[in-house]
Amino acid sequence: MAIEWLRCGHDVYIVSTWMGSRAACIMLHYLLLQTVNTQQSAGVSHGQLHLMQYDLDDSEDVEKAVNDLSQEAIGRSLYVIADEVGSELRINNFGTFCNKLLTQVPSLHLWAASCFPEHRPAGWEVKYLSTPLRSPPVVVTEVEQDLRITRFRDVDPNSQQGVPDHTDSPSVTRLYHRGLGHSGRWPGDCVTCGREVASFLHRLSVGVTETSTTTSTTLTSTIGSSPPPCLQWRDVLVFSWRDVNDQSGVVTGLNKAGIPARVMKDDDIEDVATAHSDVVWVTNARVYGLKRKVVVYLQYFDFDSMRFTEFYQGSDCSSRLDLVPRSTSQLVIVSLY
């Protein structure tokens, strides 16, 4: 919708509603800006694109967001896109924000995306987009085992009706935090786990500048039959549920094995979202909405353990739902056991 609005000459406001949505909204802004600049070079005029960031978990920020956007809408309609609007028992004020903004701006056009229906404002139209477009079948199968879908049933299952199937992709690769040389309570503490992940990335020829037979035969394209181009370091994301730092064992192991791994800090969100630096970013689970060809998940909770289930029930926290779908080709899970 944002492209259509821009083509019609309307200004469009990309609104980040909390810290976890920053990366997704920055990425969306970046991609839309590229499209606008390309089309303007071809002589097509567009409206202006704006990026605004708030934390709607704070009631004062709700008022600020409503006031800021209302001011922008004086004498005209308002066009707003909000992505990843809520997760982790946060953003309870999103419905309040929508309703207050509608009161102030009757000619409001607002599209918001979330996989959690409890975040939608009452009385607003809802469209269900449940077809996986970028994740290959093995990744979709892994996601469909998530407790939010199978047990609590508060996230709708996927549907592939009327859409061609993805081509086959590599099976999910599982590495294990156990055995000789492993240390620490979980993979993020473990130098050996970092080295094993690094070894796997080297086998994929990540960072190799020439087209590699190994890469071509190991990975297949998410859509279509052609093999992917040579993988770069920026094509890889390492996610952990717990925070990691530059001294964490897994980061040390990656670096010692020649992997240019960097831990994301708040100031790096734009770099991560736009994949500007050719490095392997290591980040926690709260960076929602990003996709990469290769995703490595450092498991902290066993997906199906009683402890995880008790922690998980009634919350929006889910490794399978939040992290696994980020992979567009190869998924690697470093398991606790």
Side-chain angles (χ1 to χ4, degrees):
M1 285 306 302
I3 285 292
E4 293 301 316
W5 291 339
L6 289 165
R7 283 176 180 163
C8 292
H10 304 301
D11 284 6
V12 173
Y13 296 84
I14 308 297
V15 176
S16 171
T17 57
W18 67 298
M19 188 64 185
S21 71
R22 295 285 190 272
C25 290
I26 289 171
M27 178 179 64
L28 179 59
H29 179 263
Y30 172 73
L31 294 175
L32 287 170
L33 199 57
Q34 283 186 318
T35 301
V36 167
N37 290 339
T38 298
Q39 294 184 351
Q40 284 180 336
S41 297
V44 180
S45 60
H46 287 78
Q48 296 296 309
L49 193 60
H50 308 269
L51 177 63
M52 308 179 80
Q53 300 181 3
Y54 301 99
D55 183 0
L56 298 189
D57 200 40
D58 184 337
S59 57
E60 292 184 3
D61 235 22
V62 173
E63 296 299 329
K64 183 178 187 320
V66 171
N67 290 336
D68 289 349
L69 290 165
S70 298
Q71 289 298 312
E72 296 291 338
I74 292 178
R76 57 177 180 167
S77 299
L78 181 67
Y79 297 83
V80 175
I81 296 285
D83 197 6
E84 298 289 346
V85 298
S87 191
E88 299 198 42
L89 296 181
R90 295 170 58 89
I91 319 309
N92 298 322
N93 292 326
F94 182 70
T96 302
F97 160 74
C98 292
N99 291 326
K100 284 191 172 186
L101 188 60
L102 182 59
T103 300
Q104 297 290 326
V105 185
S107 54
L108 172 66
H109 304 262
L110 188 154
W111 280 61
S114 174
C115 65
F116 299 106
E118 62 262 34
H119 296 298
R120 68 175 181 242
W124 287 53
E125 182 181 0
V126 176
K127 292 186 179 293
Y128 294 95
L129 308 177
S130 58
T131 302
L133 297 177
R134 289 185 288 179
S135 295
V138 293
V139 174
V140 173
T141 299
E142 187 75 39
V143 174
E144 288 174 340
Q145 299 175 55
D146 186 81
L147 297 176
R148 298 301 301 250
I149 297 172
T150 62
R151 183 175 301 182
F152 305 126
R153 303 187 184 280
D154 50 4
V155 173
D156 290 331
N158 289 316
S159 170
Q160 297 190 30
Q161 295 180 356
V163 177
D165 289 336
H166 296 278
T167 57
D168 289 336
S169 66
S171 60
V172 176
T173 295
R174 295 184 185 273
L175 306 176
Y176 296 93
H177 176 60
R178 66 189 181 200
L180 185 65
H182 289 270
S183 61
R185 294 181 56 196
W186 71 295
D189 293 332
C190 184
V191 174
T192 299
C193 281
R195 286 176 171 157
E196 290 183 357
V197 170
S199 178
F200 180 79
L201 296 179
H202 285 312
R203 290 199 299 273
L204 293 182
S205 298
V206 181
V208 176
T209 54
E210 300 141 18
T211 303
S212 166
T213 303
T214 301
T215 302
S216 298
T217 56
T218 302
L219 289 178
T220 56
S221 169
T222 302
I223 299 177
S225 57
S226 301
C230 186
L231 290 166
Q232 298 177 289
W233 300 118
R234 59 169 54 91
D235 294 322
V236 182
L237 269 179
V238 178
F239 284 107
S240 70
W241 197 258
R242 294 186 63 185
D243 289 335
V244 293
N245 56 50
D246 294 330
Q247 287 72 49
S248 295
V250 68
V251 179
T252 300
L254 287 166
N255 288 332
K256 284 185 174 181
I259 306 295
R262 288 174 55 186
V263 176
M264 191 200 81
K265 301 175 176 61
D266 288 347
D267 292 343
D268 298 318
I269 290 181
E270 183 172 353
D271 195 322
V272 177
T274 60
H276 177 72
S277 297
D278 191 22
V279 301
V280 173
W281 285 105
V282 183
T283 182
N284 66 25
R286 279 77 178 175
V287 184
Y288 291 87
L290 299 187
K291 297 277 187 180
R292 289 294 193 275
K293 293 176 183 176
V294 181
V295 167
V296 179
Y297 168 52
L298 308 176
Q299 192 179 66
Y300 179 59
F301 286 107
D302 181 0
F303 283 139
D304 302 309
S305 71
M306 182 62 68
R307 181 185 175 197
F308 181 67
T309 303
E310 291 172 352
F311 160 80
Y312 175 85
Q313 188 170 10
S315 80
D316 291 349
C317 303
S318 166
S319 302
R320 277 198 179 104
L321 197 62
D322 292 334
L323 303 182
V324 169
R326 317 293 188 83
S327 170
T328 64
S329 188
Q330 177 70 66
L331 173 65
V332 182
I333 298 174
V334 187
S335 299
L336 285 168
Y337 312 108

